[in-house]
Amino acid sequence: MTRVLVTGGAGYIGSQAVLALLDAGYQPVVLDDLSTGLREAVPEGVPLVVGDVADANLVASTLRAHRAEAAMHFAASLVVPESVAQPLAYWRNNLAGTLGLLEGCVAAGVRRLVFSSTAAVYGIPDTLPVREDAPCRPINPYGASKLAAERLIGDAATAHGVSFVALRYFNVAGADPAGRTGRRRPGATHLIAVACDAALGRRDAVTVYGDDYDTPDGTGVRDYVHVADLATAHVAALRHLLEGGRSLTLNCGYGRGHSVLAVLRAVERAAGRPVPHRIAPRRAGDPPAVIAVADGVRQLLGWHPMHDSLDRIVSDALAWEGRPAAPPLLPGQPAERAHA
Ligand SMILES: NC(=O)c1ccc[n+]([C@@H]2O[C@H](COP(=O)([O-])OP(=O)(O)OC[C@H]3O[C@@H](n4cnc5c(N)ncnc54)[C@H](O)[C@@H]3O)[C@@H](O)[C@H]2O)c1
Ligand SMILES: O=c1ccn([C@@H]2O[C@H](COP(=O)(O)OP(=O)(O)O[C@H]3O[C@H](CO)[C@@H](O)[C@H](O)[C@H]3O)[C@@H](O)[C@H]2O)c(=O)[nH]1
């Protein structure tokens, strides 16, 4: 059974990828410092090493101990406004983390890597939909640090024979269709999570940032991709690399845009109740529209998305956000599940 190191596997997307790896017959091993991830997001039986991916020795020893043949690198810091306020922390975590991972991989002889990149590397695209060879002009430290990490991986690929697939995700949303995992951090800022909170009565209204863009209804347009489809794209990328495929940098979206108001209507349909909203000025740094040219990931990786519909994304997100709270721990119960 092929073993795969998953950095950031206790987070939102990484935990979904762990499930997809298990579903596809791979054996994941998670390395996560639990800075934003949660131990309970790692399924029972999956080894969890708690530590910093920037620690090359830890990466190498983990790869060797578990005889991993490839790595998926999700561990990062990713809140855009936070990256503007704390650029040094973002550059450190995203660049030093990728450096530590690469050093550890090269030391342990692991030369296949799937990397979490982002549409934020493009900044404000000149033309839509945006192709992978469009100019990369990130407009915040988050996007800049991810672009630098892509370049670092490219240099390691050339010098050390690493082959990689960098997936540039567009707007990731939704939750595991079987309800096994989803976004776990409180204080959501992403549109679909915010709208679900409003539908569930946890906030009074959704603030719509701008209705005067040059888009069909004036609100911002994004290419929302279901997190479970994103996870299977990672498995497809892994398979490509294990079969000796060449390095690739690919957009990961569906190639269709939805406006903020269309998202709110979809949440209303799923929830069966109105989602109040108020119009506010544009949010600084928001592009009017971001939509992927997403042919490459299908053609080159054979990716077949299964949940390619806004209604599906929204209903899975709503089901996850509205799930019953975990029962309180009884006195004497261990606070954390032990891991291998
Ligand atoms: N969520 C999105 O909309 C989105 C969009 C584009 C790209 N991405 C990328 O996807 C990846 C995963 O994002 P997510 O939404 O699952 O975020 P998340 O915060 O839920 O997950 C990140 C995980 O990495 C861990 N981590 C962070 N720094 C670490 C370090 N130095 N060492 C070890 N573990 C560390 C965290 O504890 C967490 O479990 C990130 O690389 C992010 O840049 C996310
Ligand atoms: O309360 C809200 C939240 C968002 N929006 C709008 O909804 C759209 C989507 O916003 P959001 O869900 O915050 O995502 P983005 O700002 O598009 O950024 C996401 O998608 C990028 C890739 O496209 C990733 O790089 C980022 O990490 C990720 O946060 C934008 O038009 C926002 O202006 C609102 O109107 N109200």
Side-chain angles (χ1 to χ4, degrees):
M1 193 187 274
T2 306
R3 295 161 191 232
V4 182
L5 179 72
V6 183
T7 78
Y12 168 52
I13 303 171
S15 64
Q16 189 75 56
V18 163
L19 294 173
L21 284 166
L22 291 169
D23 290 346
Y26 296 96
Q27 175 60 63
V29 176
V30 171
L31 171 61
D32 200 299
D33 67 0
L34 304 181
S35 52
T36 59
L38 292 173
R39 195 179 280 270
E40 55 263 37
V42 180
E44 200 81 54
V46 172
L48 167 66
V49 177
V50 178
D52 187 350
V53 68
D55 181 346
N57 291 329
L58 177 66
V59 172
S61 63
T62 305
L63 289 167
R64 287 196 191 102
H66 293 275
R67 299 193 306 282
E69 292 176 41
M72 289 187 180
H73 181 36
F74 296 93
S77 304
L78 57 130
V79 180
V80 170
E82 196 176 74
S83 81
V84 176
Q86 304 168 30
L88 304 183
Y90 267 67
W91 276 96
R92 167 161 299 282
N93 205 32
N94 294 352
L95 205 54
T98 305
L99 186 56
L101 177 80
L102 287 166
E103 287 172 342
C105 283
V106 170
V110 171
R111 293 194 164 75
R112 297 178 182 104
L113 172 64
V114 184
F115 175 60
S116 294
S117 190
T118 165
V121 300
Y122 296 115
I124 300 181
D126 293 333
T127 50
L128 283 175
V130 59
R131 291 162 38 127
E132 286 91 349
D133 59 0
C136 288
R137 293 185 298 242
I139 56 168
N140 50 59
Y142 167 62
S145 66
K146 282 285 179 172
L147 181 61
E150 275 192 17
R151 293 190 170 149
L152 179 56
I153 292 167
D155 286 350
T158 309
H160 299 291
V162 174
S163 55
F164 68 89
V165 176
L167 292 174
R168 291 177 175 166
Y169 316 158
F170 282 61
N171 285 58
V172 188
D176 180 48
R180 296 169 294 178
T181 194
R183 256 183 230 286
R184 292 170 198 261
R185 258 186 304 166
T189 60
H190 293 89
L191 176 63
I192 290 180
V194 168
C196 288
D197 275 352
L200 292 164
R202 293 182 192 148
R203 58 172 85 210
D204 60 344
V206 176
T207 303
V208 174
Y209 298 124
D211 67 349
D212 56 353
Y213 286 110
D214 185 14
T215 58
D217 65 17
T219 64
V221 168
R222 296 290 185 275
D223 188 346
Y224 294 92
V225 57
H226 196 298
V227 66
D229 279 339
L230 188 64
T232 60
H234 285 74
V235 174
L238 173 69
R239 200 170 283 135
H240 166 86
L241 295 174
L242 292 171
E243 287 169 357
R246 68 187 166 92
S247 294
L248 297 166
T249 298
L250 296 170
N251 287 341
C252 206
Y254 295 137
R256 270 197 318 276
H258 301 281
S259 71
V260 174
L261 294 180
V263 168
L264 297 190
R265 283 195 300 273
V267 175
E268 289 179 336
R269 279 195 297 278
R273 67 184 78 107
V275 174
H277 69 270
R278 64 176 90 85
I279 306 294
R282 296 179 180 192
R283 193 170 65 176
D286 266 357
V290 187
I291 303 170
V293 169
D295 303 336
V297 62
R298 293 171 192 253
Q299 288 165 7
L300 298 170
L301 299 184
W303 179 54
H304 298 295
M306 305 288 287
H307 312 288
D308 175 0
S309 114
L310 183 60
D311 284 321
R312 184 63 200 263
I313 292 174
V314 160
S315 63
D316 286 341
L318 196 62
W320 172 259
E321 297 297 342
R323 72 194 182 284
L329 282 172
L330 298 171
Q333 274 186 325
E336 289 177 338
R337 188 158 47 75
H339 277 267

